[in-house]
Structure formats: structure tokens, C-alpha cells
Amino acid sequence: MEGLRSLVQKWEWKNRNEANGTFTQVTIDVETVLRENFVRAITFQVFPVNTILYQVVVEDKGNFLVNLIEKTCECNRFQQDEIPCAHAIAIFAKTQLKTYDYVADYYKTTTMKATYESAVHPLPNESEWKLLETLDKISLPPKTRKPPG
Ligand SMILES: [Zn+2]
């Protein structure tokens, strides 16, 4: 149990430091994905269907329909990862829409900070432990009669 408690304490410390050291609105890994998608999106052409639907044309790959309300794309990356795919980012680059508004909340550093704000404290020395009285007693199986058959 002490090994598990110690492991969780290390994870909490590492993740809290990562969240506090990040100056972006999302985690470092997601920021990397967004930047890669932005680079891929540079050559994409965007044609609005309406304010919600956009057709993104990628040379040699075809057309992708992006729905900004449902946060979906025909490539399926947008809805699976809940991170804007390159097709969605092509839309954001040509409109006033903000990429971070379309990233799931659990990738945001504010969520990460809230998750790891509490600390995992070490246990006191074993001599200072206060055991419950029931732990000193021996538990016996219940007195029941075995039914026939
Ligand atoms: Zn896509």
C-alpha cells in the first residue's frame, strides 16, 4: 500500500508541476498536436456551407465536412480526440473562431491544475498509527447451518 501511495504522490507532484509550468491554455502534448495540425492546414481550402458547416478541400485527399456545433469532422479525429483536427484548424485560421474553444475541457491546464491541487501526504510513522478496535479482533465466519444438498 505504501508503494502505491508513494507512486500516486510522485504522479501528483509531476502533473501539478507540469500544469503550473505550462503557459498555454492546454497541456503540452495537445499544444504540440494543435501546432502540427496548423502546419498541415496551411494548404487546405475552406468553403463555408453555413455558419456551422464547412467543407474543407485537401488536394489529393478529397473533401471533409466539419460541423463546428457537434465538433465533428469526416476524418473522425475531431470527435475521437476532442482536439480540433487539421481540417477544423483550417476553418479557425480563416475565421475569427478560437481553436482553444474547441478543445475538450479535460485537456486544458485549468482543469489539470484543479485535478492536482490537493497533495498526497505521506503516512506518519507506524508507532503513531491509530488502529480501529475492530482490527484487533479476530473475525470468525458466521454461524450458519449448511443447507441440505
Ligand atoms: Zn478532420
Side-chain angles (χ1 to χ4, degrees):
M1 289 301 290
E2 176 57 18
L4 288 174
R5 191 212 54 77
S6 175
L7 183 64
V8 171
Q9 181 183 341
K10 286 176 191 167
W11 286 344
E12 293 257 336
W13 175 254
K14 178 183 166 284
N15 292 335
R16 187 179 319 119
N17 282 342
E18 182 183 328
N20 288 330
T22 304
F23 298 104
T24 58
Q25 293 180 39
V26 294
T27 62
I28 295 166
D29 293 338
V30 172
E31 186 67 31
T32 303
V33 170
L34 291 174
R35 286 170 193 248
E36 288 170 359
N37 286 344
F38 183 82
V39 171
R40 285 180 53 217
I42 288 172
T43 58
F44 297 175
Q45 291 181 295
V46 176
F47 300 98
V49 176
N50 55 34
T51 56
I52 298 165
L53 294 172
Y54 289 83
Q55 180 188 26
V56 179
V57 178
V58 181
E59 195 173 323
D60 300 332
K61 301 250 177 166
N63 301 333
F64 295 86
L65 192 64
V66 179
N67 184 321
L68 294 179
I69 294 292
E70 294 178 1
K71 298 180 182 176
T72 60
C73 177
E74 287 182 327
C75 76
N76 289 326
R77 298 302 311 183
F78 198 4
Q79 55 270 35
Q80 283 179 355
D81 299 340
E82 296 187 47
I83 300 169
C85 61
H87 312 110
I89 289 183
I91 298 165
F92 304 146
K94 296 195 172 26
T95 61
Q96 299 296 317
L97 299 169
K98 294 177 182 167
T99 303
Y100 295 129
D101 292 344
Y102 293 87
V103 176
D105 284 343
Y106 41 79
Y107 293 125
K108 296 185 177 168
T109 49
T110 51
T111 304
M112 197 170 173
K113 284 176 186 173
T115 302
Y116 297 107
E117 76 180 359
S118 63
V120 176
H121 297 281
L123 288 171
N125 288 330
E126 193 171 342
S127 61
E128 298 173 27
W129 292 3
K130 294 176 184 168
L131 298 176
L132 298 172
E133 287 181 26
T134 54
L135 292 178
D136 295 338
K137 297 177 183 171
I138 297 172
S139 297
L140 297 172
K143 291 179 182 174
T144 57
R145 230 180 90 211
K146 195 172 183 180

